[in-house]
Structure formats: C-alpha cells, structure tokens
Amino acid sequence: MTGTYRLQLPLLIIIAYVIFSSQTAIVNAVEYAIDSRINQKILIGPQHINAYPGETIQFPCIVSKQLNAIVTWCWNDFCTLGKTQLLRHETTPHGVVRIYQYTAYPRFQLSINERLNHYNLSIVHVSNKDEGIFQCQVQRTMDAHEARSERVRLTIITPPNGQPTLILPDMPLKQGQSANVTCLSTPSKPASKLVLYKNEQMISREPSAKVTYELDMKTKKNLTKLVYTIDDPDSTWDFALIRCEQIYEYGNSFSKDVSKRIQVHYKPKARIESQNRYPLTINSTATFRCIVSGNPEPQFSWFANSMDLSALSSSVISIPLSRQVHNHTIGCSATNSIGTTNTSIRLLIRYAPSFIVQPPKFVALDSNDKQSQNPTAIRCIVDSFPRARISWHRFGEKLAEGSTFNLTNITTREQQGFYSYRVETDGFETITDDFMIYFKGKPLIYIHESKQYRTTQTREFECQVYSSSPVLKISWRLNDHSIESTDKSLISTTCDDYSCTSKLLYNPRQSLSTANSLSRLSCIAENEYGIEQSRLYQVDSLDNSSMILIPVVCSVFLLTVILSIGAVYCGCRSKQRKKRSMKKLPIVYDAHYSINELIKDAACLQTSELRTCYPSTKDHDELSLKVDQTKLESTDRLLASLFSNTANNHHPKKLMDNLSNESSINSSGFHSKSTTTTFNNEYSPRLAEITDYTFSGMSPLYTTQYQMNV
C-alpha cells in the first residue's frame, strides 16, 4: 500500500494544477469581458428648481445608452418609484413622445422620446410634499456601465409676507455692560437672509454676530435669527441707528427692513482747546477752554498740577505765563453717573537762557607743582527752553561741546590765554563770553588801543594784566622811555582779584618829542614771579585816522590816471612802430622806479648837487625811453650807495631818518617792508633792545591792527 500511495501522489498534484489553471483562465476571461464594456453617459442632466406651489416643473435627462438599458429616476435616494402606465402619445417633429404616469405618485409623469433618448420627469401642481433631491440614472447592463446625473434639489418657494422684527434691550444701555440686539425674519421657504447695519455700516459680518435658522411649527416654514452682541457700548453707540434688512433671494428677489435708535449712558469725554499762538512765551497770557460731552450731561472742574481748582466755574480760563509755570500741567475733569474722565496739557513756555552754573572768569593752573589740586573741568549749566547748546572755543576754533570743558589736556604755558564759550538757544540771541586760563608765574599782559578817542586828539590805551598773585607794579614806556603822569598824560590803574587794568590817556603831539618819528609803546607788569611786558609798535601820531585815507586815496587815483595815460600812449606808439616795421627794444618798467627817484631827489637836495639831481634833457629822455633792465640797480643797493655818499656830511643820521621817512610815505601811500610793522593783538614780538623782560602773547579778543604813517 505504501507503494500505491507513492504513485497516486504525483497524479493528484497534476490534477490539482490543471483545475487551478482552468479557474484562473475563466476569471481572467470574465474580467476582460467586464472591462470591455462601454460607459453609458448622461448628456444633459437635471438642474436645481425653485417653484411656487401649484406650478408644473420638469427635470430633463438626455442619455446615451445601449438598447437594452433602462432609465430610472431617484427621489430622495429612493430609486424605485413603482410601476408606470401609459397616459398618451404626442407626435412632435422630433418623433413620438410617450407619456407615462407613476401609479404610486399620480402627479409624477415620465416623458420618453426613444429616438432622441429623452427621459424627462415632470411634476404637476408641485407642493411642499414634493421637495427633495432628484437624480437621473441609467442602469448597468452586461455590455455597459451605469451612469448617474448630478443630485439636484426641488425647492418650493414661499416668500415672507411681512417685515423683520428688531428686538433691542432695555434703554438706555450702560457703558461696561454688554447687550444683545436680535433680528428675526418673517417665516418663509427657504429662509430669508438678514443683514444688520449700524449707521449704514454693516456689522452682521463681525465676530459678535451669530446667525441661526429655525422652523416655525405653526406655518411649517423657516425663519432666520440674527443676534449681535454689543460688548461695551460707548459714546459711538449713543443715538446710533440700528437697521435690520430682510432679503429673500428666491423668485423675484426683494427686501424689507426695520430700524431703531439706541441710547447709551457712557463715561464722559473731555478735551482742552487753545487758541493761543505757539510757542508760548513768558510775559503773555494763554487762554484755554474745557469741552466736555457725555450722557448723562457731565459736570466739569479745573485742576493744575494735581491741585483742585473747583472754584473756577467757567469753561474758559486765562493763565499768565511766566517762567515759574513752565513745564506745569493744567487739566480739566468731567464727571457723570457712569464715571470720571481727566485730560491735561503741559505748558511749555519759551524763555531766555539764564545761568545756573556760569564758568569763572579766571582759572589758575600750576604746571610745576604736580601735587597741586588743579581743577579738572569747567562747567556751564544753563536754564532755558528750548534747551541750549553749549560750545567751547579758542581763536574761533571749536574745541568741545556740552556743559563741561575738560582742563586735563591743558598742561603748558603756551595754552594759557583767553578762551570763550557760546550758549545758543533757538529763538534767542547767542550768549558769548570769555574766560582766562592762567598758569602760575609771571603776569600775562595784553595791550590795545581803545577806539572811543579815535576822532579826538586825546588817545587811550589799555593794558590788561592777569596774575594769580598780586600785581606789584604796572608801568608804561614810549620809545623805551618811561611815561609819568607829569608828561601831560594820565595813567589810571584798577585791580580786582585776578587782573589789573591800566589806562593811558595822552595827546600824541604833546607827548612825542618828534612828530614824525617811529613810536613804540610798552606796558610792563611785575608780580612775585618776575617782570613781563607787551609792546604796541609804530603808534600813529596823527589824531584822525580819516586824514590818513585822504592822501592814500588821492595817490591811488593819481597813479591810476598816470598809468592809464601811459598805457594809451604806449598802445598808440606800438601801433605806429608796427606799421613802420621797426624793431626797437621793449620798454621795461621797474616796480621801484618811483620810490628810487624820490630817494635820489632827496639825496640831491641834501648834498646840493644840482647836476646830479637834474640831468640834461637829452640824458633824461634817453633814460625814460631806453631803460635797460640789466642796468637798473635794486632799491637796497641804491639806498646803500646813498647812505655811503652821505657818510661825510654833517648830519648823516638825520639824513638817514628823512630818507627812511620819505621812503615809507611814497609808493602810493603804502609803507615799505623795511619801515612798517603791523601790530596784531594775537601776537606781540619782543623788542631786540630789551633783554630783561620776557614777552607774553596778545589777547585774541582785540583784532584791530595799527600802523604808523609819518
């Protein structure tokens, strides 16, 4: 038996494989047959219909199907409406139309045109019972797939027959307490749409609005309910117009609305108005008005800097403006049963700057003693509105900005002298003042001439001496000779804690021994550290400066006329020479010719050599027309030769002085470099003859220059 079993086992396996293969082939054949079926189609399907009760409607359904396919209609997903019976035939140009009636639903009729594949569903005298979802369907066959149309709705229209209802809470509303506004539509089918407005501004789309739909049990119709919540009614809601609009969008669309006004008790509002011209200034009066509003009507009162001014009953007040009320507040308070509101403004008044901390006039530093307590900074604090801008300067150059000037970088005597600070405030004049930084040691001297006596014969000179220690002596020197009060001059000296001022009044004609000689005026001061001096060079002895300008102007004018005539003459001669085609030497003018000739004339007068002074006419013409530049000697060589020629005369020094004076007066009224020294108040050089005194620089404050015209 074991052998027989072994023989049967392979045979069974073969039979099972054959059976499985056959089944697989059958299944594949069936699937292939199914996949090869065509798709039936809905060419024109039904659409949504809104109908009034009693109307007759029709849902179209045009299909493309196989001959053995069946078309059915579904109502509310129920696809078996029951049996049909033929009512009649209707002949049309497109073929015969057969009309069937459903036995279970007599008002439902099916119109079939098999030639065009029309399967239309009609409902006669529709009512509310006929509402629902309708769908056209082509059944599946062995040769084709099924086809279904869109699901469409039949809606029976019942328009609303009245206005909407607007329900408001008890009035007035109170600020801080929420309230609901409700709008109800009139029952209709389908439900109406509601829109809520506040002063013609739509508010029904805001998050505070909620819309619900309800069924009226009496009429079996729908109604819409809109509830809007006013979270915090305020002044914007007081006397606001609330309007509810009911819109019915079916059939002939129309709308109806209803509106009401809202009253709100809210916290009062207050504001201050001013008709004043800004900015406010001191010594004037400002007028303010308090304007309040609220429901109920509020009461107002004034306050200033949190101080009650309830005694002021008028809504308009006037306040005298002064510096003391700057940056103070004035306010108005409004109160009613809901609450209190305060409002205030700050008074910003423009006023001129004034010093709280003003820089000192004199600052003494000690560069030798390292242990000395030198000040490290100078402060300048100014009270003003607007805020002042402070800057620090020296010689017109800005050194720093701000209320503090650092002194740690000032370590040498060369840095001592006058400094200045500027206080700039918008709308006011700039304040500028000077201060002195002084290193302990010899006096610091500045000398200058006062302009108040320039038009008179009497002249005034001032010598300003600065010293941290007492000034022992101040003296004046003219041409290295001491000036005493007996020399028809008046000397007065005044001193304070850190400076002395010495004034010198004198008449130049009486004080100067020689009216036309050069003058050097010096001021010498002494303290415990030594002697220092400052000099004013070449003092002009003429009593009126305007008299100096007259000869200068006349000389310039005369020289201009002479040069113009010479230029015209030379131009004419040049044209004539060009026409004659004659080549001659060019005329060369020496810039020092006029002054050399004057010096030469002066030398001739002193030596009485008339032949040298006045050469023959022929020689003179030759000199004027044929001047060779290489033969001209410089002014310095001429002066040297003249001085050597006059060495044997009886008055050589007097002649030299006269020549120098003549040389300085000529050349169109300007001083030559050899005889003119310009005094600059920012710098005063030391005289070479005096070696006992040291020189100190002049003040930058005095920028007037002096020249000596003899």
Side-chain angles (χ1 to χ4, degrees):
M1 291 185 64
T2 304
T4 303
Y5 177 75
R6 292 178 177 176
L7 293 174
Q8 293 178 351
L9 182 60
L11 182 61
L12 293 174
I13 294 174
I14 294 172
I15 294 172
Y17 175 76
V18 172
I19 295 173
F20 178 77
S21 300
S22 300
Q23 292 178 349
T24 303
I26 294 172
V27 171
N28 292 335
V30 173
E31 290 180 353
Y32 175 79
I34 294 174
D35 293 338
S36 63
R37 290 182 301 179
I38 64 173
N39 292 326
Q40 299 184 126
K41 297 180 181 180
I42 304 293
L43 300 179
I44 298 177
Q47 302 292 330
H48 296 287
I49 295 178
N50 299 322
Y52 289 97
E55 291 183 341
T56 298
I57 63 168
Q58 186 180 71
F59 291 108
C61 183
I62 302 175
V63 301
S64 174
K65 69 179 184 64
Q66 297 296 319
L67 295 177
N68 57 352
I70 299 175
V71 177
T72 60
W73 279 90
C74 300
W75 179 33
N76 294 330
D77 296 329
F78 181 68
C79 294
T80 303
L81 296 178
K83 297 181 178 180
T84 60
Q85 60 180 0
L86 180 63
L87 289 180
R88 61 184 181 274
H89 291 82
E90 294 182 357
T91 303
T92 64
H94 302 289
V96 178
V97 178
R98 292 179 295 174
I99 300 175
Y100 295 89
Q101 182 182 29
Y102 287 94
T103 303
Y105 304 98
R107 293 183 294 105
F108 284 40
Q109 298 178 0
L110 183 62
S111 300
I112 301 176
N113 186 340
E114 293 183 352
R115 177 185 172 187
L116 300 178
N117 290 330
H118 289 190
Y119 296 88
N120 300 331
L121 176 64
S122 299
I123 302 178
V124 180
H125 302 297
V126 295
S127 64
N128 296 331
K129 297 178 180 181
D130 302 329
E131 286 186 327
I133 304 299
F134 292 84
Q135 186 181 39
C136 179
Q137 178 179 344
V138 182
Q139 292 181 349
R140 181 175 57 185
T141 65
M142 294 298 295
D143 300 325
H145 292 285
E146 68 178 1
R148 295 189 179 190
S149 69
E150 296 289 338
R151 295 161 57 90
V152 297
R153 177 179 292 277
L154 171 61
T155 302
I156 304 302
I157 298 174
T158 304
N161 56 2
Q163 294 180 339
T165 302
L166 184 60
I167 303 174
L168 300 179
D170 294 336
M171 295 295 154
L173 304 181
K174 291 185 178 180
Q175 187 174 9
Q177 299 179 2
S178 61
N180 293 332
V181 176
T182 304
C183 182
L184 294 175
S185 68
T186 303
S188 63
K189 290 188 64 179
S192 301
K193 179 181 178 181
L194 295 178
V195 181
L196 194 64
Y197 295 89
K198 172 191 174 184
N199 294 330
E200 302 305 324
Q201 180 181 0
M202 184 184 298
I203 60 175
S204 54
R205 294 182 180 178
E206 295 181 3
S208 299
K210 295 181 180 180
V211 179
T212 58
Y213 299 95
E214 299 179 359
L215 178 64
D216 188 359
M217 300 304 296
K218 294 182 180 180
T219 59
K220 301 299 180 180
K221 297 179 182 180
N222 298 325
L223 56 84
T224 306
K225 182 178 182 180
L226 173 62
V227 179
Y228 183 85
T229 301
I230 305 175
D231 295 326
D232 185 13
D234 54 10
S235 59
T236 60
W237 286 94
D238 187 34
F239 207 65
L241 180 64
I242 304 298
R243 181 169 67 91
C244 180
E245 183 179 11
Q246 174 181 273
I247 301 175
Y248 192 70
E249 298 177 342
Y250 301 92
N252 297 326
S253 300
F254 63 91
S255 63
K256 295 181 180 181
D257 59 12
V258 62
S259 59
K260 293 182 180 180
R261 291 196 177 274
I262 291 180
Q263 292 183 359
V264 180
H265 283 180
Y266 59 91
K267 191 176 180 179
K269 292 184 176 182
R271 60 187 176 92
I272 297 177
E273 283 189 352
S274 172
Q275 300 298 328
N276 305 297
R277 181 178 299 177
Y278 285 90
L280 300 177
T281 58
I282 61 174
N283 301 327
S284 62
T285 301
T287 302
F288 302 96
R289 180 189 300 273
C290 180
I291 300 177
V292 298
S293 60
N295 189 10
E297 185 70 22
Q299 301 294 325
F300 73 90
S301 61
W302 292 95
F303 63 89
N305 290 342
S306 302
M307 181 176 63
D308 186 15
L309 300 177
S310 57
L312 300 176
S313 59
S314 175
S315 61
V316 179
I317 62 172
S318 297
I319 300 177
L321 301 180
S322 63
R323 187 171 177 178
Q324 287 71 24
V325 300
H326 170 69
N327 209 25
H328 289 191
T329 58
I330 182 169
C332 177
S333 176
T335 305
N336 63 5
S337 59
I338 305 301
T340 300
T341 300
N342 297 326
T343 183
S344 62
I345 60 174
R346 187 174 297 275
L347 299 177
L348 300 178
I349 305 172
R350 295 176 63 93
Y351 58 90
S354 61
F355 288 100
I356 299 177
V357 177
Q358 186 172 5
K361 285 289 187 179
F362 185 81
V363 179
L365 303 177
D366 192 348
S367 60
N368 297 323
D369 188 3
K370 302 299 182 181
Q371 302 298 327
S372 62
Q373 299 296 325
N374 287 334
T376 59
I378 299 176
R379 300 182 64 193
C380 179
I381 301 178
V382 178
D383 179 23
S384 66
F385 186 81
R387 187 175 181 180
R389 300 180 299 275
I390 303 173
S391 57
W392 307 83
H393 304 261
R394 190 186 188 195
F395 300 148
E397 179 184 358
K398 183 185 291 186
L399 302 179
E401 291 183 350
S403 60
T404 303
F405 181 64
N406 189 8
L407 297 177
T408 56
N409 296 327
I410 301 177
T411 57
T412 61
R413 294 186 62 85
E414 287 75 10
Q415 294 176 286
Q416 70 178 353
F418 279 102
Y419 290 76
S420 64
Y421 58 89
R422 306 187 67 172
V423 178
E424 299 176 288
T425 307
D426 294 339
F428 298 96
E429 294 184 0
T430 301
I431 300 176
T432 303
D433 204 353
D434 303 315
F435 61 95
M436 170 67 68
I437 295 180
Y438 171 80
F439 279 92
K440 291 183 179 180
K442 295 181 180 181
L444 186 60
I445 306 174
Y446 296 102
I447 182 173
H448 69 281
E449 182 178 1
S450 177
K451 294 182 179 181
Q452 60 179 338
Y453 294 96
R454 292 292 292 173
T455 58
T456 63
Q457 293 184 354
T458 303
R459 302 176 65 178
E460 181 184 60
F461 293 89
E462 286 189 4
C463 179
Q464 194 76 26
V465 180
Y466 296 90
S467 175
S468 59
S469 59
V471 178
L472 303 178
K473 182 181 179 181
I474 299 177
S475 60
W476 292 83
R477 286 178 176 269
L478 182 62
N479 294 335
D480 299 331
H481 297 286
S482 298
I483 300 177
E484 304 295 339
S485 59
T486 57
D487 297 339
K488 297 183 180 180
S489 301
L490 179 61
I491 299 176
S492 60
T493 302
T494 58
C495 295
D496 55 20
D497 295 336
Y498 55 86
S499 67
C500 291
T501 302
S502 180
K503 295 183 179 180
L504 173 64
L505 292 174
Y506 73 100
N507 189 316
R509 296 186 181 274
Q510 298 177 358
S511 299
L512 297 176
S513 58
T514 304
N516 293 328
S517 63
L518 297 179
S519 302
R520 298 185 299 272
L521 184 62
S522 304
C523 179
I524 305 170
E526 180 182 359
N527 65 0
E528 61 179 341
Y529 296 99
I531 301 174
E532 187 64 279
Q533 72 169 344
S534 179
R535 296 177 180 176
L536 186 63
Y537 281 84
Q538 204 159 330
V539 180
D540 184 7
S541 61
L542 297 179
D543 55 348
N544 193 348
S545 60
S546 62
M547 297 300 294
I548 303 175
L549 297 177
I550 296 177
V552 173
V553 174
C554 293
S555 301
V556 172
F557 177 75
L558 182 59
L559 182 60
T560 304
V561 172
I562 294 174
L563 293 177
S564 301
I565 296 174
V568 174
Y569 175 76
C570 293
C572 295
R573 292 295 299 271
S574 298
K575 292 182 180 179
Q576 292 178 1
R577 291 178 182 179
K578 188 175 182 180
K579 291 180 180 179
R580 296 174 184 177
S581 301
M582 297 179 64
K583 297 183 179 180
K584 292 186 178 182
L585 293 176
I587 299 177
V588 179
Y589 293 93
D590 186 7
H592 298 282
Y593 179 76
S594 61
I595 188 172
N596 293 337
E597 288 300 321
L598 291 175
I599 293 173
K600 184 177 180 181
D601 293 342
C604 292
L605 291 175
Q606 294 293 335
T607 57
S608 301
E609 295 180 1
L610 299 178
R611 184 175 57 82
T612 305
C613 299
Y614 305 100
S616 63
T617 305
K618 181 180 179 181
D619 295 338
H620 180 73
D621 295 339
E622 240 178 17
L623 180 62
S624 61
L625 297 177
K626 299 181 180 180
V627 178
D628 188 356
Q629 187 175 4
T630 59
K631 295 180 181 181
L632 293 177
E633 296 182 353
S634 63
T635 304
D636 296 337
R637 294 181 60 187
L638 288 174
L639 289 174
S641 63
L642 288 175
F643 292 158
S644 63
N645 291 335
T646 58
N648 298 326
N649 294 342
H650 298 286
H651 305 286
K653 186 175 186 305
K654 183 176 182 181
L655 177 59
M656 187 181 300
D657 294 339
N658 292 335
L659 289 176
S660 300
N661 294 336
E662 293 292 338
S663 175
S664 63
I665 294 175
N666 288 286
S667 184
S668 301
F670 293 97
H671 298 282
S672 64
K673 294 183 179 178
S674 60
T675 59
T676 301
T677 302
T678 301
F679 169 69
N680 188 340
N681 283 327
E682 295 184 359
Y683 177 73
S684 176
R686 180 189 302 276
L687 287 179
E689 296 84 355
I690 299 178
T691 59
D692 296 338
Y693 310 129
T694 59
F695 169 71
S696 139
M698 299 306 295
S699 168
L701 297 178
Y702 310 111
T703 57
T704 307
Q705 294 183 349
Y706 303 95
Q707 290 183 343
M708 177 66 185
N709 295 332
V710 182

